[in-house]
Amino acid sequence: MRGGILDHRITSIRPLNAPREYEVKCRLAYGGSTIVATRRSTCQKDFNKTWTEYKTGWTTPCNRWLGLEALHYISNQRSATFDIYVSGTGALVGQYYYSDFKIGDEASGYTLSYIGHFNHSTEASGNGFEYEGASKHINGQRFATWDRPDPSGCAISGGAGWWYGTDCPLTNLHKKFNTNASASNMVQWPDKNGVLEKVHFMETEIKVLW
């Protein structure tokens, strides 16, 4: 399947070693990629879901989450790139990429890992996975939810499932779109200059490099 930058297709796939098929949304341009998550501030449905919901995924009229189980199998087929697109206040509009990206299995806590990272050559955002000090970085960290919290309680205090370090990161794309909330409890991401801005839209994708 091939198409333009705005062309998508809902289809079923069965990644290598996966126990079943998964229904996914594919972007058809640039060799194809699988949508992991889509969120927009016009839809205030939050991502404060259970472990089981994050594991299996969900789709609503205004947001989508692929599911950790499918993401694990897709990312472990071959080398994969994870693409984050964000737009929001100030100069926040652009993309950031993580290469050799993988999600571990459930026994590992769906640990997130990557080897390289780089921004878009002409339309860049910042590196939110490594914003602020190393204790807030999420490379090598386990996923946590309110019903399976991390040791620091960030999934509970932040109100969203995410990968957490020993300190709670401000750059959590699953927090609420809430301009009345404190800065630590709303969706934020750094722009290309490292300035933290409010996010109005985000989409993440994974591309397997065959």
Side-chain angles (χ1 to χ4, degrees), residues 22-68:
Y22 301 96
E23 184 176 271
V24 301
K25 183 178 182 180
C26 296
R27 184 185 301 280
L28 304 186
Y30 308 121
S33 57
T34 303
I35 305 297
V36 175
T38 304
R39 298 187 73 198
R40 49 182 53 84
S41 60
T42 53
C43 174
Q44 283 293 345
K45 301 294 184 183
D46 66 55
F47 269 41
N48 196 17
K49 307 286 189 179
T50 65
W51 180 270
T52 299
E53 288 173 304
Y54 269 105
K55 175 181 177 178
T56 58
W58 66 83
T59 300
T60 75
C62 61
N63 63 48
R64 168 181 292 269
W65 169 252
L66 173 63
L68 291 165

Side-chain angles (χ1 to χ4, degrees), residues 154-192:
C154 298
I156 296 174
S157 62
W162 190 248
W163 298 269
Y164 294 100
T166 54
D167 289 329
C168 305
L170 294 177
T171 49
N172 178 339
L173 291 173
H174 292 171
K175 289 182 178 180
K176 290 183 179 180
F177 294 106
N178 187 349
T179 56
N180 295 319
S182 65
S184 63
N185 284 310
M186 69 174 68
V187 186
Q188 300 180 105
W189 196 260
D191 66 17
K192 62 183 178 182

Side-chain angles (χ1 to χ4, degrees), residues 33-37 65-66 71 74-75 79-85 95-103 112-114 116-118 129 138 162-163 173-174 189 202-209:
S33 57
T34 303
I35 305 297
V36 175
W65 169 252
L66 173 63
L71 188 53
I74 292 171
S75 66
S79 179
T81 299
F82 190 70
D83 174 16
I84 293 177
Y85 175 83
Q95 292 172 268
Y96 206 90
Y97 303 89
Y98 299 88
S99 58
D100 292 295
F101 177 88
K102 292 185 184 299
I103 296 296
L112 178 152
S113 65
Y114 56 89
H117 56 87
F118 54 97
F129 282 0
I138 69 171
W162 190 248
W163 298 269
L173 291 173
H174 292 171
W189 196 260
M202 78 86 166
E203 188 163 80
T204 57
E205 305 174 5
I206 186 168
K207 181 174 183 174
V208 178
L209 306 179

